[in-house]
Amino acid sequence: MHFRKHAPSGALIASLLAAPQLASAFYLPGVAPTSYKPNDLVPLYVNTIRPVAVHDAFLHSVVSYDYYQPLFQFCQPEGGPKSVGESLGSILFGDRIKTSPFELKMKQNETCKVTCPVTYHKGAALWLNQQIKNGLSINWLVDGFPAGQVYNTGNPGFLLGGEVNGEVVFNNHYDIFIEYHTPSASKDEHRVVGVLVQPESKKYSGEVKSDTCLQQSIPPLVLSETGDTEVTFTYSVYWISSPTAWATRWDKYLHVIDPKIHWFSLINSAVIVVFLVLTVMSVLIRALKKDIARYNRLDQINLDDLSGTSALEDGVQEDSGWKLVHGDVFRTPSHPLLLSVFLGNGAQLFVMTGFTIAFALLGFLSPSNRGSLGTIMVFLYTVLGFVGGYASARIYKSMQGEKWKLNIILTPLLVPSIVFSTFFLLDLFLWAKESSGAVPFTTMLVIILIWFVISVPLSFAGSWLGFRAPAIEAPVRTNQIPRQIPPATTYLRPIPSMLLVGILPFGAIFVELYFIMSSIWFSRIYYMFGFLFLCYGLMIMTCAAATILLVYFLLCAENYNWQWRAFLAAGTSAGYIFLNALVYWVSKLSLSGFAGSVLYIGYSLLISFLFFILTGSIGFFSSWWFVRKIYSSIKID
Ligand SMILES: *[C@@H]1O[C@H](CO)[C@@H](O)[C@H](O)[C@H]1NC(C)=O
């Protein structure tokens, strides 16, 4: 199946399905190609140095560093490196883009250019050798396009060093291969369409001339851990004409994983999930129809035959199941404040993820627009504070909550401050490691400012509207005195039911999770938003269906405390996600050092927490809809 060839550009479904392929064919408006004349300087920027998985396929570190971290002692451009303007999202996702001393002139092959001599003392050598073993990989951007390594195409970045005959060698020479494309319309304008770097380790002796680095017999360079090592950095540039059009230059990073395998596994799980959900739903609807018909018939009998004691006895006998708790199902749950705050934030997250994925599907978040994903997420989450405030207030009002001031204040503060303080604590760790992954203090301030100046007022406005709107009335009256709840059977006890319900949404996204994890931790470029869209849909479906089923069983067992149960049961899928992260840790990572482990666990916990709020809310809202639906369809005298 070659989607790009067959996909009709107009058909929505086809384009949705083909999105991973199509999206690379039409790029974001606003990212225009840059053309260079021969001899024009093509900028080479340096970015964060990140760990990647080395030969044993394990990731050994999650701490990344600024290119100009003093211990690397990399050559700097004249006047010192300057930061290149970046978006907020790009900074949050770890980019630190700076100028470099490398000079690339369009279509000018050059060999063995010397940048600067450096002396590594033994302390620096010790540290660098450890980092080489950790698999640190250098990231360059040439004309905004990330450089890959010659034998490892498909992933951006190339290694800081390697191992030769059991010795750790340091790469001090770079062969830079730049592919350029000349559009047929213009003869003398060229575009950069591919960048590959082959890093090499060369222990030069004597002066480096323009052909020294071409010699085959140069031994590799080992940084001595007992004394000083003199290192000369060199690079060669080769320009190679390429038929690749500028518009498709990202394809080799985006099509690393064979889409056919991906589709296969996804469709496989989709079929199972849809089948399950449909079966369960049809059984449930059948049962409900029978229940409702029976209840209404009994009602009829009771009305027709008021004096008929036998019918009444029949009624008492038969009137079992979820109808019995009609006077209690809409009773205010315990801790309505906390629940409504969570649900408001869940609604906010839900709308945000939906919009983000929609934007991505439309091709707005192409990787050539660095950091656009992070920026759009921050922006949407901020603006959607309004939705969060509104939802939280409406729910709280419907639950007859009285501490409305507290609700208004906690909605935009509770969950974000948990997220932010975790983020801040993890950042402290990164600061201590002098890692560039640490978000700079000024960025932190900017985020706090955006939060308090835009998001919190919007949330207040939403809350105000929510409290002004009429409360959502329950379809049945709530009794004065609560009913007694009979003891539950094993499966309906809180823990087993949570574990059972939570695994279903997790199953729906399990496959996609693998790819997302590898893009987060292995810095692979994630650009399969078509898949993500489908998975998100499947997850919502399973989450809703499983929770509704649980609530139905609960009500049939005359347990009317469904609100928290629905929220927690659906939210349990986040527990599975955390568990999955732990399994991933054991099977794919081999982190050396305490900080790496803390960071990994911390970020996993953070993501799981947000996921808990999101899925919990999906579970609650669908159950709420369900409960309202069934109790409004029976007559109650
Ligand atoms: C530059 O070097 C590459 C690789 O050796 C070669 O294919 C290309 O023709 C050279 N380009 C120029 C302009 O000399």
Side-chain angles (χ1 to χ4, degrees):
M1 280 194 288
H2 292 283
F3 286 99
R4 193 182 302 135
K5 284 192 190 123
H6 299 303
S9 54
L12 180 69
I13 299 296
S15 59
L16 282 187
L17 291 179
Q21 278 74 26
L22 263 188
S24 51
F26 53 80
Y27 272 120
L28 172 77
V31 180
T34 319
S35 299
Y36 301 90
K37 294 205 172 62
N39 257 333
D40 276 358
L41 267 185
V42 178
L44 189 158
Y45 295 142
V46 295
N47 199 354
T48 313
I49 298 182
R50 296 193 182 90
V52 296
V54 274
H55 312 292
D56 57 359
F58 278 103
L59 193 65
H60 292 273
S61 165
V62 292
V63 181
S64 50
Y65 295 93
D66 193 287
Y67 186 83
Y68 293 112
Q69 219 276 356
L71 283 169
F72 288 120
Q73 298 180 51
F74 283 137
C75 307
Q76 303 193 353
E78 265 175 56
K82 292 188 186 59
S83 283
V84 176
E86 294 168 69
S87 62
L88 180 63
S90 155
I91 295 177
L92 282 180
F93 276 43
D95 281 343
R96 303 286 179 275
I97 304 174
K98 296 189 175 150
T99 53
S100 77
F102 301 96
E103 285 181 350
L104 315 181
K105 296 190 195 112
M106 178 54 87
K107 283 186 84 176
Q108 283 298 307
N109 280 1
E110 287 174 288
T111 51
C112 314
K113 292 188 76 177
V114 178
T115 43
C116 70
V118 176
T119 306
Y120 286 99
H121 299 297
K122 54 186 178 191
L126 198 70
W127 184 82
L128 268 170
N129 286 343
Q130 182 55 45
Q131 296 308 326
I132 291 172
K133 281 190 216 145
N134 281 352
L136 277 199
S137 140
I138 300 174
N139 289 287
W140 283 355
L141 298 166
V142 176
D143 181 44
F145 189 74
Q149 184 162 348
V150 172
Y151 298 113
N152 183 24
T153 49
N155 283 326
F158 54 91
L159 291 173
L160 181 66
E163 267 179 72
V164 176
N165 302 330
E167 277 193 302
V168 177
V169 301
F170 179 64
N171 293 331
N172 61 326
H173 172 81
Y174 311 109
D175 280 327
I176 307 171
F177 300 93
I178 302 186
E179 296 171 35
Y180 63 92
H181 178 71
T182 315
S184 48
S186 63
K187 283 228 154 49
D188 230 15
E189 304 255 291
H190 312 283
R191 293 167 177 177
V192 174
V193 294
V195 183
L196 289 176
V197 173
Q198 182 52 38
E200 295 197 41
S201 181
K202 288 178 193 288
K203 185 176 180 166
Y204 297 116
S205 46
E207 203 197 333
V208 178
K209 299 203 201 67
S210 73
D211 60 348
T212 315
C213 67
L214 303 178
Q215 290 162 15
Q216 294 295 319
S217 57
I218 307 175
L221 172 79
V222 178
L223 295 180
S224 164
E225 296 184 5
T226 52
D228 293 353
T229 316
E230 304 279 345
V231 177
T232 309
F233 282 97
T234 54
Y235 65 97
S236 305
V237 190
Y238 303 100
W239 295 85
I240 297 157
S241 175
S242 160
T244 312
W246 187 86
T248 55
R249 68 176 184 167
W250 282 87
D251 284 14
K252 63 169 155 296
Y253 288 136
L254 305 183
H255 301 275
V256 184
I257 303 147
D258 186 0
K260 265 182 231 157
I261 298 174
H262 200 160
W263 276 116
F264 181 73
S265 53
L266 186 75
I267 288 173
N268 215 356
S269 64
V271 167
I272 296 173
V273 164
V274 170
F275 180 74
L276 245 163
V277 168
L278 287 182
T279 321
V280 165
M281 284 290 110
S282 68
V283 169
L284 183 61
I285 288 172
R286 269 240 194 89
L288 273 173
K289 272 198 180 136
K290 244 166 87 185
D291 287 347
I292 292 170
R294 182 162 57 92
Y295 288 152
N296 289 344
R297 199 174 58 237
L298 283 172
D299 239 32
Q300 209 56 43
I301 294 169
N302 291 348
L303 282 182
D304 289 350
D305 191 7
L306 272 177
S307 57
T309 42
S310 66
L312 216 63
E313 270 164 21
D314 257 15
V316 170
Q317 189 196 349
E318 269 200 63
D319 205 357
S320 62
W322 50 268
K323 190 187 176 183
L324 281 180
V325 291
H326 67 79
D328 295 278
V329 272
F330 294 103
R331 191 178 294 290
T332 306
S334 57
H335 310 293
L337 183 66
L338 189 63
L339 186 60
S340 63
V341 167
F342 277 169
L343 289 172
N345 279 278
Q348 188 176 349
L349 277 176
F350 181 75
V351 180
M352 182 200 79
T353 28
F355 270 121
T356 307
I357 294 176
F359 275 133
L361 271 181
L362 294 175
F364 280 101
L365 305 184
S366 103
S368 55
N369 203 8
R370 276 193 100 76
S372 51
L373 179 67
T375 311
I376 202 96
M377 270 162 59
V378 170
F379 171 77
L380 281 174
Y381 194 75
T382 311
V383 171
L384 291 171
F386 184 82
V387 173
Y390 182 80
S392 170
R394 274 222 78 180
I395 293 161
Y396 193 57
K397 191 173 179 186
S398 310
M399 289 175 180
Q400 283 100 38
E402 274 151 15
K403 301 181 202 138
W404 59 272
K405 279 184 201 150
L406 213 53
N407 173 276
I408 292 183
I409 291 170
L410 282 183
T411 303
L413 291 185
L414 182 68
V415 172
S417 63
I418 292 175
V419 171
F420 190 80
S421 43
T422 318
F423 194 70
F424 186 75
L425 280 180
L426 294 177
D427 225 48
L428 285 185
F429 264 94
L430 286 171
W431 267 325
K433 291 287 266 183
E434 292 181 47
S435 157
S436 76
V439 173
F441 192 66
T442 43
T443 312
M444 287 270 185
L445 281 184
V446 168
I447 293 176
I448 295 180
L449 210 71
I450 291 178
W451 196 253
F452 279 98
V453 174
I454 307 176
S455 191
V456 171
L458 276 176
S459 171
F460 285 173
S463 299
W464 183 73
L465 271 187
F467 277 116
R468 292 235 327 184
I472 300 165
E473 291 296 335
V476 287
R477 242 180 324 106
T478 299
N479 291 341
Q480 211 84 66
I481 300 154
R483 260 178 84 93
Q484 193 133 26
I485 301 173
T489 52
T490 321
Y491 293 115
L492 288 181
R493 295 231 178 85
I495 303 283
S497 68
M498 275 160 68
L499 292 180
L500 280 174
V501 171
I503 201 161
L504 293 173
F506 171 73
I509 56 166
F510 175 69
V511 174
E512 206 54 27
L513 207 57
Y514 173 80
F515 293 106
I516 295 177
M517 299 273 282
S518 73
S519 93
I520 293 178
W521 299 111
F522 285 72
S523 45
R524 295 194 178 127
I525 296 178
Y526 183 86
Y527 201 60
M528 299 171 284
F529 291 107
F531 295 103
L532 190 62
F533 175 75
L534 279 187
C535 276
Y536 193 54
L538 285 179
M539 188 201 74
I540 295 172
M541 261 171 66
T542 33
C543 211
T547 320
I548 286 177
L549 200 65
L550 169 74
V551 168
Y552 177 73
F553 284 134
L554 275 181
L555 296 178
C556 285
E558 294 164 35
N559 184 342
Y560 50 83
N561 286 329
W562 59 272
Q563 292 98 331
W564 274 106
R565 295 289 299 270
F567 184 83
L568 291 176
T572 306
S573 53
Y576 284 102
I577 286 189
F578 185 68
L579 222 70
N580 183 57
L582 291 185
V583 171
Y584 196 82
W585 189 20
V586 172
S587 63
K588 296 270 176 197
L589 314 181
S590 146
L591 300 181
S592 54
F594 177 65
S597 313
V598 169
L599 284 172
Y600 182 79
I601 297 286
Y603 281 121
S604 302
L605 271 177
L606 200 61
I607 294 170
S608 305
F609 175 67
L610 290 176
F611 207 78
F612 167 73
I613 303 280
L614 175 69
T615 46
S617 303
I618 296 172
F620 176 88
F621 284 116
S622 45
S623 314
W624 197 20
W625 168 84
F626 170 75
V627 172
R628 288 180 60 83
K629 197 94 189 151
I630 60 172
Y631 282 95
S632 56
S633 59
I634 53 168
K635 288 195 212 89
I636 285 151
D637 20 74

